[in-house]
Amino acid sequence: MWRLSCGARGWRPGCALALPLPGARSGRLTVAAVPVAPVAPSGGPGGWYEWLAQSTPVHWAEGGLVALQAAAGLPWWAAIVCGAALLRTAVTLPLAAHQSRLLAKLENLQPEIKKLAERLRYEVSVRGKQLGWSEKVARFHFKKNLRRIVTELYVRDNCHPFKATLLVWVQIPMWVCVSLALRNCSLGATGSEVQEQFSAGGVLWFRDLTAPDSTWILPVSLGLVNLLIVEIFASQKMQVSRFQKLATNFFRVLSVIMIPVAATVPSSLALYWLSSSFLGLSHNLLLRSPAFRRLCCIPKTKSDSDTPYRDIVSALAAKYSLKK
């Protein structure tokens, strides 16, 4: 909380505002200091970004990082990498396995949905001829009943597609909170002691975790890992819709944009982003292992392969081959 006080040059932050108190005798005014908080602009420093950086979840992330570093006795660069690995393994990996389980159930439902849709189309066609429905009315009843049937199948197998988005709703806020926590530690918002530890807590070419990586090694590595993630999963799809093409190109552009962004932030953030992306790639590749999928009780589908890693290499080689 800022205070306002009267100075020779007028009112300024850090001053106390003197106001007369009720009941003061004439000629002798009794005054009291009333703290006044300035209104920060919504878009500048002290606005929504600062509000988010000082929010409770970010403070929890700061406390968790400090506690992890103190308990493990690791240098800060190692604590950041271990923190990313811990979050990815304890939180993201189980959610990713759950997502894969749901997607496998949805894939196995498609043949049944296709058969039911064909049967429903025939029944609607017969009913429409009996009642004299137009093509538009028949199509409306077909879509309405098909939605009901599909929803019942989702409930029966407990695999509604919306549940597969749980990973995104958890992973993105967690990533933002940890990033802001590292930003606070690097800029001294957590305390000068932590900032001093960060300034000497790096390794190799990024000794100072509070400064950007001037060599661009961390930012470029981050971009390459993110591009590899995008290309691996794009190469797996045989038939790609227009939306999927747009989404793939969007993430390609985003991966490239993250390179200059990571070059302007403290090295602690770039290190965390790189560690998180690398572990995310590793876990997603792990989830393609037939043995690990059985361990996670993920149903087998027609698209599953007994040699997933060989297939990935072959698909990338075929897609980006320099052969004429």
Side-chain angles (χ1 to χ4, degrees):
M1 182 73 71
W2 288 3
R3 297 173 56 253
L4 293 178
S5 65
C6 180
R9 299 182 180 179
W11 305 106
R12 65 183 185 277
C15 301
L17 180 61
L19 296 178
L21 290 178
R25 297 180 180 178
S26 58
R28 297 182 62 185
L29 292 179
T30 304
V31 296
V34 180
V36 178
V39 179
S42 59
W48 66 268
Y49 181 81
E50 287 298 328
W51 171 85
L52 183 60
Q54 299 302 325
S55 61
T56 301
V58 174
H59 287 318
W60 288 345
E62 293 172 8
L65 287 168
V66 173
L68 174 64
Q69 191 273 339
L74 297 171
W76 267 109
W77 70 268
I80 292 172
V81 174
C82 290
L86 182 63
L87 289 175
R88 278 285 188 174
T89 304
V91 179
T92 308
L93 182 58
L95 291 176
H98 177 66
Q99 182 187 62
S100 298
R101 196 176 304 115
L102 289 173
L103 294 177
K105 289 182 178 180
L106 288 171
E107 183 178 344
N108 290 335
L109 269 180
Q110 297 311 307
E112 184 175 357
I113 291 176
K114 185 177 180 180
K115 290 182 180 180
L116 291 174
E118 293 175 354
R119 180 178 176 181
L120 177 63
R121 184 176 286 107
Y122 172 77
E123 292 179 355
V124 169
S125 176
V126 172
R127 187 64 173 171
K129 290 179 180 179
Q130 294 175 349
L131 301 178
W133 288 347
S134 65
E135 182 180 350
K136 183 177 180 180
V137 173
R139 187 165 56 250
F140 168 78
H141 284 284
F142 170 75
K143 291 182 177 179
K144 178 181 177 181
N145 284 279
L146 182 61
R147 283 195 298 269
R148 176 182 56 81
I149 291 172
V150 170
T151 301
E152 290 175 353
L153 291 176
Y154 289 160
V155 173
R156 185 195 69 185
D157 291 358
N158 191 22
C159 60
H160 196 282
F162 183 76
K163 293 182 178 180
T165 65
L166 179 62
L167 175 62
V168 176
W169 295 112
V170 173
Q171 182 174 342
I172 292 180
M174 183 177 69
W175 183 86
V176 170
C177 288
V178 176
S179 298
L180 289 175
L182 289 171
R183 170 258 188 197
N184 290 345
C185 294
S186 300
L187 299 183
T190 308
S192 59
E193 182 180 353
V194 175
Q195 185 184 23
E196 290 176 1
Q197 293 176 4
F198 264 58
S199 63
V203 69
L204 300 177
W205 67 91
F206 54 100
R207 297 281 180 179
D208 186 355
L209 293 176
T210 66
D213 180 9
S214 59
T215 66
W216 282 57
I217 295 177
L218 291 177
V220 171
S221 300
L222 171 66
L224 292 176
V225 171
N226 286 336
L227 283 173
L228 181 60
I229 293 173
V230 174
E231 297 307 320
I232 284 177
F233 293 104
S235 66
Q236 294 299 306
K237 299 187 179 295
M238 303 303 294
Q239 296 180 349
V240 182
S241 65
R242 183 179 179 184
F243 174 78
Q244 290 172 330
K245 289 181 179 179
L246 291 174
T248 300
N249 290 330
F250 170 77
F251 285 111
R252 284 172 177 155
V253 172
L254 184 62
S255 299
V256 175
I257 291 176
M258 285 298 293
I259 296 177
V261 172
T264 59
V265 299
S267 298
S268 58
L269 271 76
L271 178 62
Y272 167 67
W273 293 348
L274 175 59
S275 303
S276 181
S277 294
F278 181 79
L279 288 163
L281 172 62
S282 302
H283 289 166
N284 280 301
L285 290 175
L286 180 63
L287 283 168
R288 293 179 179 271
S289 167
F292 190 77
R293 291 177 71 87
R294 288 194 298 270
L295 181 64
C296 295
C297 300
I298 299 174
K300 189 173 180 60
T301 65
K302 289 184 177 180
S303 63
D304 286 348
S305 171
D306 294 330
T307 57
Y309 307 120
R310 188 185 305 170
D311 294 344
I312 290 174
V313 174
S314 300
L316 289 176
K319 185 174 182 180
Y320 300 103
S321 177
L322 298 179
K323 295 181 181 180
K324 297 182 179 178

